[in-house]
Amino acid sequence: MVTGMGQVFSVATGLLLAALGVMPLRKPPTKASDWARLTPIIACTVLTMFWGNAAYMHLSMSFIQILKAFTPAVTLLIGVAAGVERLRGSLLAAVLLIALGTGSAVLVESGTPSYSVYGLLLFLGSSTTEAGRVVCSQLLLGQYKFNTVEVLVYVGIPSALALVGGSLLLDGAPMLALAAKLWATQPVAFLQAWAVSSMVNLVSYLAISTTSSLTFKVAGCLKNLAVVWYGVAFRGDHISEGHLIGYAISVAGFVLYTYSKSATPAQAHAVRRAVGQQQQEDKKAK
């Protein structure tokens, strides 16, 4: 219910930006081809929200942030399959290094009392659908020419209906009664969660539209590091030496990825220059 209301706030944010003239909002899609492009991201959004939040009920917050370092590996595979990423050697090495660090942390965690196989499966499910979501977002914002406001609105509305409707269907009156009590005592907490959720969606789509789905997920490793620190400092989460070593390996993979990506523009410029020179030589030969 909380994540569904976050989608409602995302829709409101998109409508507000359109009303202010920040970005245009075209009429709702009517073609079957448009909905064929929107449906996968809607499904991935709903499942990511559901499975991702369920995982927090079975695993510690800090351990989940360490696990999130694995998402770029899944994103790379889906991105290559969708044709939005190229499988270069340095890029593959960086993502595998990130995955190795995450796997090390999982092995360490598996020996602790708080470890839950069910929670791990929930996370792996949400990690896969999250990778699918950001790759589909990249396609929508790039190849399919949707803008950020349109993705917020036309993905947010059906996602909100699915999440809120599913909550009412599965939990019904008991959940609403509990929600009413919590709202009466902590309304600001709910409003903050929904507002932050809408801002996360807005900034995520803007970031994906200007970089790529894989870059967005790899950069998230730094955010995850901050959340790990918060969990240890303020929530009493325990991080062992093995966890830290695993996460350090993942961060090393992030550094390698950044270097690999930063070299790409120079390589592209060299290729364009060589092509230009070849074209000039062809013209002279003619």
Side-chain angles (χ1 to χ4, degrees):
M1 175 64 76
V2 172
T3 54
M5 289 303 298
Q7 291 297 311
V8 171
F9 269 56
S10 296
V11 173
T13 300
L15 294 175
L16 177 61
L17 291 174
L20 293 175
V22 177
M23 290 184 188
L25 179 63
R26 291 172 291 183
K27 293 181 179 180
T30 56
K31 296 180 180 179
S33 58
D34 288 334
W35 283 108
R37 296 163 179 168
L38 285 168
T39 300
I41 185 176
I42 293 168
C44 286
T45 297
V46 172
L47 292 173
T48 297
M49 298 286 184
F50 183 76
W51 286 337
N53 282 280
Y56 279 95
M57 301 175 65
H58 303 277
L59 301 171
S60 72
M61 184 176 69
S62 296
F63 181 54
I64 287 177
Q65 303 314 307
I66 295 174
L67 285 177
K68 284 184 178 181
F70 179 69
T71 306
V74 184
T75 306
L76 174 62
L77 294 176
I78 295 178
V80 170
V84 299
E85 292 288 347
R86 294 179 59 188
L87 195 60
R88 302 192 309 274
S90 59
L91 189 61
L92 179 61
V95 175
L96 288 178
L97 197 59
I98 294 173
L100 175 63
T102 307
S104 301
V106 171
L107 289 176
V108 173
E109 181 73 12
S110 63
T112 65
S114 61
Y115 177 72
S116 166
V117 174
Y118 180 63
L120 180 62
L121 292 175
L122 285 172
F123 172 81
L124 292 176
S126 70
S127 180
T128 302
T129 54
E130 170 65 6
R133 184 185 74 86
V134 295
V135 170
C136 289
S137 298
Q138 182 176 345
L139 289 171
L140 281 177
L141 294 163
Q143 183 177 334
Y144 301 146
K145 305 302 181 184
F146 281 72
N147 64 39
T148 299
V149 163
E150 290 167 344
V151 177
L152 279 174
V153 174
Y154 297 135
V155 171
I157 291 175
S159 297
L161 290 174
L163 288 164
V164 173
S167 175
L168 294 174
L169 181 65
L170 293 174
D171 296 320
M175 183 274 299
L176 290 177
L178 176 60
K181 292 180 181 179
L182 291 173
W183 175 261
T185 57
Q186 304 178 58
V188 175
F190 280 97
L191 292 173
Q192 286 175 336
W194 297 335
V196 170
S197 177
S198 67
M199 290 300 101
V200 167
N201 287 331
L202 172 62
V203 174
S204 297
Y205 292 138
L206 287 172
I208 291 170
S209 67
T210 55
T211 57
S212 72
S213 54
L214 183 57
T215 297
F216 173 70
K217 295 314 299 180
V218 171
C221 292
L222 296 180
K223 179 265 297 180
N224 297 338
L225 182 60
V227 179
V228 170
W229 175 84
Y230 172 83
V232 172
F234 297 100
R235 291 173 52 89
D237 290 347
H238 174 70
I239 298 296
S240 68
E241 182 178 341
H243 285 121
L244 292 176
I245 292 173
Y247 203 75
I249 295 173
S250 296
V251 172
F254 169 77
V255 173
L256 178 59
Y257 176 88
T258 304
Y259 174 78
S260 173
K261 278 291 188 178
S262 65
T264 301
Q267 294 170 352
H269 176 71
V271 170
R272 287 194 298 268
R273 184 172 59 184
V275 170
Q277 291 175 349
Q278 184 62 47
Q279 289 175 342
Q280 290 177 357
E281 292 176 2
D282 291 341
K283 288 180 181 179
K284 291 179 180 179
K286 291 179 181 179

